[in-house]
Amino acid sequence: MTGRLELVGLRLEAAGRVLVDDVALCLQPGKVLALVGASGSGKSLTTLALLGLLPPGVQRTGGRIILDGIEQDTAGLAALRGRTVGLVQQSPRSSFNPVVTIERHFRETLALAGLRRGAARTRALELLAEVGFDHPAEIVGRYPFQLSGGMLQRVMIALALALDPRFLLADEPTTDLDTVLQAQVLDLLGRLRARRGLGVLLVTHDLSVVARLADHVAVMAGGRIVEQAAVGELFQRPRQPVTRALLEAHLALCQGEPSELAA
């Protein structure tokens, strides 16, 4: 797998106020880039900007989004969704239609690839098996409210992979899960990255997640990237006060936790 997805000089505004300014990121095949920072730092808006999915009132007033060296216009960004870039949102329960079966969710997504009826069902079962369901045929007939949060998160990941994207944007994918389920989801993302060669943008405020999965880290504060480094370098030699504060908070929370989470 070749090529990369780049964000250069992103600037977002709402009602005359700058929310994100001069943000640059680069996603590479087979690599996990973690975008970390406190709530409100601009992480989720930056992620949505990569797909042209900004909320009402927020505008991109600067910056370029470049895929394989080609700058993407509005139509180009729309064409990326699902096919080139998959999105895993932070609240799986609110991302599903509660009165539509899991199979119907897959059918609607897979129709974009021309798969219908039996072919769509077969593909849905394959995807559900890939994300760890031992009996996927039991899952497709259920409604979202019949699944746990961890199960829904795996279904959402399967849906994000349905059109075989090259990149995956995972926005706080473990926020609503307990520690055991968090570890399972992160292990799953790691396996998918290795198996599919995915380039992953992992958005999180949790440095335990970063330590477990990321190759490279970008630290965001006040709508700007304040530091970027390889994960080992950032943990051992943080340069910015914001980064040091995040690490101190992480280490304080991880006292008494398994050593790999505090590493």
Side-chain angles (χ1 to χ4, degrees):
M1 185 178 294
T2 60
R4 56 187 185 178
L5 180 64
E6 298 174 87
L7 184 59
V8 181
L10 177 68
R11 184 181 177 93
L12 303 177
E13 298 184 34
R17 177 186 170 208
V18 177
L19 304 177
V20 169
D21 191 28
D22 198 28
V23 167
L25 299 171
C26 180
L27 300 185
Q28 302 179 64
K31 300 293 184 180
V32 177
L33 170 63
L35 180 60
V36 304
S39 297
S41 59
K43 305 186 302 296
S44 291
L45 284 177
T46 297
T47 304
L48 293 174
L50 276 165
L51 292 175
L53 291 174
L54 292 169
V58 179
Q59 295 182 319
R60 176 159 67 97
T61 57
R64 297 177 296 150
I65 298 165
I66 302 168
L67 176 66
D68 299 338
I70 300 173
E71 184 173 351
Q72 304 296 303
D73 57 15
T74 300
L77 291 181
L80 295 183
R81 298 170 197 159
R83 294 178 175 86
T84 302
V85 185
L87 176 63
V88 177
Q89 301 181 68
Q90 61 181 287
S91 179
R93 196 151 311 269
S94 64
S95 301
F96 287 86
N97 185 334
V99 298
V100 170
T101 64
I102 298 302
E103 183 171 0
R104 175 72 178 274
H105 283 87
F106 274 100
R107 286 183 183 275
E108 292 176 355
T109 299
L110 291 168
L112 299 173
L115 297 180
R116 291 177 173 80
R117 299 185 178 87
R121 180 181 174 85
T122 297
R123 182 60 179 147
L125 295 176
E126 292 172 350
L127 289 161
L128 289 170
E130 185 176 8
V131 299
F133 287 104
D134 293 329
H135 304 288
E138 297 178 2
I139 301 299
V140 289
R142 296 185 186 180
Y143 291 87
F145 67 84
Q146 295 176 305
L147 302 180
S148 69
M151 295 170 77
L152 276 179
Q153 191 64 284
R154 282 189 284 159
V155 172
M156 183 183 290
I157 292 170
L159 282 165
L161 298 174
L163 302 182
D164 294 319
R166 296 160 50 191
F167 301 95
L168 190 67
L169 311 183
D171 188 0
E172 300 279 7
T174 62
T175 295
D176 295 331
L177 306 179
D178 64 34
T179 303
V180 173
L181 291 177
Q182 285 182 18
Q184 291 175 356
V185 169
L186 293 175
D187 287 346
L188 170 61
L189 290 174
R191 291 195 301 272
L192 292 170
R193 178 264 294 264
R195 184 186 305 136
R196 288 175 170 249
L198 288 168
V200 180
L201 178 64
L202 179 64
V203 181
T204 183
H205 65 278
D206 187 345
L207 290 180
S208 297
V209 172
V210 175
R212 193 178 188 107
L213 193 61
D215 300 296
H216 200 85
V217 189
V219 181
M220 199 165 190
R224 299 179 68 93
I225 300 294
V226 297
E227 184 167 358
Q228 291 201 50
V231 65
E233 179 183 347
L234 184 118
F235 273 77
Q236 294 172 18
R237 291 180 295 277
R239 299 191 305 271
Q240 297 298 321
V242 169
T243 309
R244 289 195 290 270
L246 287 171
L247 283 168
E248 288 169 3
H250 161 71
L251 292 173
L253 288 171
C254 284
Q255 287 180 355
E257 294 291 330
S259 60
E260 67 268 17
L261 295 182

